[in-house]
Amino acid sequence: MIDHAHDLACVRDATERLLTAAAALDNASLAEPSRLPGWTRGHVLAHLARNADALVNVLEGRPMYASAGMRDADIERDAPRPLDVQLADVRDSAARFQETGDAPADWARTVELRNGVTDSASRVPFRRRIEVELHHVDLGIGYELEDLPAEFTEREIDFLTQRFSGHSDVPATRVTDGTHAWSTGREGAEPEITVSGAPADLLGWLAGRRDGAALKTMGGALPQLPPL
């Protein structure tokens, strides 16, 4: 069962970790490449701020973004800002998200995200937590996938394997860290391929942050996953 209040508290903690770490940067390092192709660290922070506001829109029944083009333009506009402005924006937008999340609401209602995707409102805080945790890693400032809370890593693996379930281009696949197991890909009575490895490596592969070289496969090559 999804506990949105727990996830809101976890978002708050993850945001503070990110802000504390990012405060050690300077303007020059902010302009350096992040781990995301084509994005500087400034792009990552700008995206985090605008994503918080976009999820406020979702929770309040408005379109997440005015358009895909506007989303990208806003990130490009905000990416070159100095560090103090970036940090203030991330903090202020996060506070707006928390305030909206703390307001009484029907958390069982269905909300619409980007590209027509729908979900329960109760899962929006976890979606925000994904953004904060993974983009903290993407900054490339010492926070790695292995540093993510174990509870988050397990839930995000579950979230991503569900996302790829039923995808015709992904073979029926069993994913396991040796303790937990998940199924993903197209439907099949039995998995065609088994992928195993450490939780951080599985998450890195599923989230497009690692190439999967550290994973073991049985039954075939490591599946190629569609972009997120």
Side-chain angles (χ1 to χ4, degrees):
M1 185 174 181
I2 301 170
D3 184 346
H4 72 274
H6 166 78
D7 286 331
L8 283 167
C10 291
V11 169
R12 185 180 295 109
D13 292 345
T15 301
E16 286 303 318
R17 283 197 301 274
L18 182 146
L19 286 167
T20 297
L25 298 172
D26 55 27
N27 291 333
S29 56
L30 194 64
E32 293 173 351
S34 73
R35 292 177 175 175
L36 294 177
W39 272 16
T40 66
R41 293 187 178 110
H43 283 87
V44 174
L45 293 181
H47 166 62
L48 280 170
R50 300 289 68 79
N51 173 262
D53 286 336
L55 291 177
V56 169
N57 288 338
V58 168
L59 291 175
E60 293 185 344
R62 297 185 295 274
M64 186 170 180
Y65 295 101
S67 68
M70 185 66 72
R71 170 189 177 272
D72 295 342
D74 286 347
I75 294 170
E76 289 296 331
R77 177 198 66 205
D78 294 343
R81 298 175 302 176
L83 180 64
D84 60 339
V85 177
Q86 296 274 23
L87 295 181
D89 193 15
V90 172
R91 185 177 296 279
D92 291 347
S93 59
R96 290 190 291 271
F97 176 76
Q98 292 288 339
E99 182 179 6
T100 302
D102 288 339
D106 173 15
W107 287 96
R109 73 192 187 280
T110 298
V111 296
E112 184 171 344
L113 296 111
R114 293 178 63 198
N115 303 321
V117 173
T118 60
D119 203 350
S120 167
S122 63
R123 187 134 47 171
V124 171
F126 184 67
R127 286 179 175 272
R128 175 60 181 173
R129 187 180 177 191
I130 293 169
E131 295 287 329
V132 176
E133 291 284 20
L134 292 187
H135 286 317
H136 190 168
V137 174
D138 293 334
L139 287 172
I141 54 176
Y143 190 67
E144 303 296 340
L145 293 172
E146 285 79 6
D147 298 317
L148 295 168
E151 173 255 358
F152 169 81
T153 297
E154 181 181 337
R155 286 181 65 192
E156 176 63 346
I157 292 173
D158 183 72
F159 182 85
L160 290 171
T161 51
Q162 287 184 43
R163 181 165 181 168
F164 297 128
S165 289
H167 201 291
S168 60
D169 292 336
V170 179
T173 303
R174 180 176 183 266
V175 177
T176 180
D177 62 3
T179 301
H180 307 92
W182 302 266
S183 296
T184 196
R186 56 180 173 258
E187 295 183 5
E190 297 291 336
E192 302 169 45
I193 298 172
T194 296
V195 177
S196 59
D201 289 320
L202 290 172
L203 175 55
W205 167 60
L206 290 164
R209 266 66 178 184
R210 291 183 181 174
D211 62 9
L215 301 174
K216 296 181 180 179
T217 62
M218 292 180 57
L222 185 70
Q224 295 295 311
L225 300 175
L228 292 172

